[in-house]
Amino acid sequence: MISLFDHYGHKDDGKTASMVNAYARLKNQPYQKRLLEFNNTTVFTYTKEFLAEFDAVRKIMTLGQ
């Protein structure tokens, strides 16, 4: 299970996390929460396979934009 930061290599733009979370709920995708002790923030983590699937779907959905 990895966070979006670990997957993309940068801080979320404010939109991606919401889309990933909505897609995970739609697909009944399990996720975990991880506490970042250095700043006391909780992040969601997902499987690498799920994030790869999300990226593929996002790419298809944004082809015409």
Side-chain angles (χ1 to χ4, degrees), residues 31-42:
Y31 61 86
Q32 295 177 350
K33 292 181 181 181
R34 182 173 73 197
L35 177 65
L36 304 178
E37 293 180 7
F38 71 92
N39 64 0
N40 206 31
T41 301
T42 301

Side-chain angles (χ1 to χ4, degrees), residues 2-13 16-17 20 34 36 38 43-46 51:
I2 61 171
S3 68
L4 295 179
F5 182 88
D6 294 333
H7 181 69
Y8 293 115
H10 57 79
K11 185 178 175 183
D12 180 41
D13 60 7
T16 304
V20 169
R34 182 173 73 197
L36 304 178
F38 71 92
V43 297
F44 289 88
T45 60
Y46 306 91
L51 291 175

Side-chain angles (χ1 to χ4, degrees), residues 20-33:
V20 169
N21 188 271
Y23 188 62
R25 287 184 287 151
L26 179 70
K27 299 279 293 183
N28 293 318
Q29 173 67 33
Y31 61 86
Q32 295 177 350
K33 292 181 181 181

